Amino acid sequence: MTEFIKRRQIFANSMLDNSMAIFPANKELMRSNDTEFRFRQNSDFYYLTGFNEPDACLLLIKKDGLVKSVLFNRKKDKTAEIWHGYRLGQEAALAELAIDQAFPIDDLEIKLSEFFTNVEHLYYPVLSGASLDHCLQSVLNKLRSKTRSGLIDTNQFLNWQPQIHEMRLFKSSYEQELMRKAGEISALGHVRAMQQCQPGMWEYQLQLEVEYEFARQGTRDVAYNSIVASGNNACILHYTENDKQLQDGDLVLIDAGAEYQGYAGDITRTFPVNGRFSPQQAALYELVLDCQLFAIAQVKPNISMLAINALVVRKMSEGLFNLSIVKGDLESFIKEEKYKVFYMHGLGHFIGLDVHDVGNSGSVAEPRALEAGMVVTIEPGLYISHDADVDECWKGIGIRIEDDLLVTENGNEILTAAVPKSIQEIEALMQHG
Ligand code: GLY
Ligand code: MN
Ligand code: MN
């Protein structure tokens, strides 16, 4: 709990005096008619509260230098709890979440109007489509109609997102522990997939082998929809249909990660459905693996992901030329970005409470350098689809290899190292099942 108090305190220290910050939770989303998708909390709200119920909202109010935390959440309700499950309620929230005041979410509009009359500045997640936009609009309209009944300038909001997202970019040691666990569990899921894979299985069956292992290891959630893409499907970057049958002789690419206490793992491995790489598959695989290992060795403070990727692009392009998959002039292949036919995505991304995590990564002109405490993925790939203009023998092969890395003072720690990626290790694991 001290972790959450500390985060609220750090943000509150930066708030202007006589101000209020609003942090909305997520609402449940309908899946069909009256049944919902499994609930996932808003990451910013969770970061500040650790509270995992829908229909809630946190206020931080700073007045004369003092900060008060106020939670709005669902009321205890015997009938609703019999039908739908436990609710924390207001009284228990005070101690459990270390909050100063708690009110039922049904009173939000009335209470917000009261709080508004005492503050001059409002922090809000501007343009984020927050679940409270309608409620806030209604409160502000009422305030505007009562001329000057409030102090706040209702046309001027401050956005808390840049600061909270900057905080989220640097993982505390508590968060690093959770991310290690997310990485370990994710890795075990991939190991199981390699052990269980057989020609004739369906992609969704292999998906559930991965996700079953996540559950066996202590988490039921995936950090994103798992990708299990065999053969040419691997050339579709965000393929999630997972509904084809695994063919003997094809590769299968699995991009899947467990979510552990809100934190994402994100691993990709590519391996042969029948347990043995063909010579072409092996040649391309070695190239991607060389690039990935090379990129990992560069990850340390003071270098940007874009700078590392520029080196990877060169290495990848040289490899394609060495294999005679492409011919011509290497320099123009790189300069004119022709490699993007085969490697069309970035090298990786920040990862944390969101798989594609928040945080300012700078611009192409001024890319942001890595710093200790950041966590990134490194995930180069090569995709040679059926319609590529190359020799037939290379077609229908998509390969990506992805790991999650904590940037440390002197280098990095690989959080997802427990799943093999060399050809020898993968083949050995698949033979022994
Ligand atoms: N799983 C999505 C990604 O690797 O970015
Ligand atoms: Mn991934
Ligand atoms: Mn990724």
Side-chain angles (χ1 to χ4, degrees):
M1 189 40 55
T2 49
E3 180 84 7
F4 298 100
I5 298 172
K6 199 159 82 190
R7 293 172 191 168
R8 296 197 291 261
Q9 193 59 53
I10 291 171
F11 177 76
N13 287 345
S14 76
M15 287 171 72
L16 294 167
D17 208 12
N18 297 328
S19 68
M20 172 164 77
I22 305 183
F23 301 92
N26 276 347
K27 285 187 161 317
E28 284 186 297
L29 288 176
M30 285 303 171
R31 180 174 184 275
S32 99
N33 194 13
D34 57 353
T35 59
E36 302 91 11
F37 285 103
R38 182 163 154 73
F39 178 68
R40 170 56 158 78
Q41 188 56 281
N42 174 280
S43 296
D44 294 314
F45 178 85
Y46 188 79
Y47 182 73
L48 294 171
T49 60
F51 185 48
N52 211 10
E53 287 185 25
D55 300 325
C57 165
L58 170 74
L59 307 184
L60 294 179
I61 301 170
K62 188 165 180 178
K63 190 97 189 124
D64 302 326
L66 293 176
V67 178
K68 182 166 72 171
S69 54
V70 182
L71 183 77
F72 290 84
N73 61 338
R74 301 181 303 184
K75 269 199 300 223
K76 295 292 286 178
D77 177 333
K78 212 166 178 159
T79 309
E81 292 188 57
I82 287 171
W83 281 84
H84 303 294
Y86 175 77
R87 296 173 169 196
L88 184 63
Q90 285 69 57
E91 207 180 312
L94 298 180
E96 196 152 315
L97 305 175
I99 293 286
D100 298 317
Q101 276 186 306
F103 298 104
I105 188 75
D106 302 332
D107 298 346
L108 180 64
E109 208 170 310
I110 295 168
K111 285 280 168 201
L112 265 187
S113 307
E114 288 173 27
F115 286 128
F116 263 119
T117 56
N118 279 315
V119 296
E120 292 170 44
H121 312 281
L122 176 66
Y123 293 84
Y124 193 69
V126 178
L127 291 180
S128 70
S131 59
L132 285 184
D133 285 359
H134 278 105
C135 170
L136 190 62
Q137 179 86 55
S138 156
V139 174
L140 291 176
N141 285 346
K142 282 180 197 146
L143 274 184
R144 282 179 187 132
S145 65
K146 293 190 238 156
T147 42
R148 302 311 303 162
S149 67
L151 295 170
I152 205 160
D153 178 351
T154 51
N155 295 312
Q156 300 243 5
F157 290 169
L158 298 160
N159 189 0
W160 52 248
Q161 290 174 103
Q163 192 188 339
I164 294 292
H165 293 175
E166 184 67 14
M167 288 167 63
R168 282 177 51 190
L169 196 47
F170 294 90
K171 275 65 182 177
S172 66
S173 47
Y174 170 79
E175 290 179 291
Q176 290 173 17
E177 244 346 280
L178 297 179
M179 293 204 72
R180 267 185 205 103
K181 188 80 180 161
E184 269 168 34
I185 294 176
S186 302
L188 290 169
H190 283 260
V191 168
R192 184 181 182 89
M194 288 179 189
Q195 290 170 327
Q196 298 296 323
C197 184
Q198 296 288 339
M201 276 177 88
W202 295 80
E203 291 166 343
Y204 58 81
Q205 293 175 332
L206 203 50
Q207 171 191 342
L208 291 179
E209 293 290 349
V210 176
E211 295 173 11
Y212 172 58
E213 190 64 27
F214 292 171
R216 268 173 38 86
Q217 299 299 333
T219 188
R220 62 188 295 196
D221 289 306
V222 290
Y224 52 92
N225 291 331
S226 305
I227 296 169
V228 180
S230 59
N232 199 60
N233 299 330
C235 300
I236 304 167
L237 297 180
H238 286 165
Y239 174 83
T240 48
E241 278 114 343
N242 301 355
D243 60 356
K244 306 294 184 306
Q245 205 166 12
L246 304 181
Q247 304 298 324
D248 199 339
D250 276 350
L251 292 178
V252 58
L253 178 157
I254 301 186
D255 183 344
E259 182 176 279
Y260 184 74
Q261 293 188 27
Y263 288 83
D266 183 9
I267 300 182
T268 309
R269 289 292 185 267
T270 311
F271 55 89
V273 167
N274 64 14
R276 288 263 175 232
F277 285 85
S278 75
Q280 285 77 15
Q281 291 167 350
L284 287 177
Y285 188 89
E286 292 289 12
L287 174 54
V288 178
L289 184 58
D290 272 358
C291 289
Q292 206 239 8
L293 294 173
F294 169 79
I296 287 174
Q298 313 305 310
V299 172
K300 55 183 164 308
N302 299 322
I303 186 165
S304 73
M305 291 286 278
L306 279 180
I308 302 174
N309 195 40
L311 302 171
V312 167
V313 161
R314 177 159 292 274
K315 204 170 174 57
M316 189 90 87
S317 303
E318 284 169 358
L320 289 169
F321 275 77
N322 288 341
L323 292 170
S324 300
I325 294 172
V326 290
K327 301 182 180 74
D329 177 45
L330 173 68
E331 292 309 319
S332 60
F333 184 79
I334 295 173
K335 193 148 180 265
E336 292 163 24
E337 300 188 338
K338 290 188 187 145
Y339 61 84
K340 284 195 172 169
V341 173
F342 306 105
Y343 171 38
M344 60 293 277
H345 56 73
L347 181 62
H349 49 85
F350 296 127
I351 178 170
L353 282 169
D354 293 306
V355 62
H356 295 159
D357 211 22
V358 292
N360 176 5
S361 45
S363 62
V364 175
E366 276 184 77
R368 180 159 186 181
L370 295 174
E371 293 176 61
M374 292 176 170
V375 182
V376 294
T377 68
I378 292 290
E379 50 179 305
L382 259 183
Y383 311 89
I384 307 189
S385 69
H386 280 319
D387 49 18
D389 184 17
V390 300
D391 197 289
E392 270 316 300
C393 70
W394 302 108
K395 291 185 179 179
I397 300 180
I399 297 167
R400 181 164 63 253
I401 308 174
E402 174 175 31
D403 283 297
D404 306 342
L405 282 76
L406 167 67
V407 183
T408 59
E409 294 296 338
N410 301 313
N412 65 72
E413 173 189 337
I414 305 175
L415 306 178
T416 47
V419 53
K421 57 186 173 186
S422 76
I423 287 184
Q424 296 71 18
E425 286 172 316
I426 290 175
E427 289 188 343
L429 179 64
M430 293 187 74
Q431 299 315 311
H432 298 119

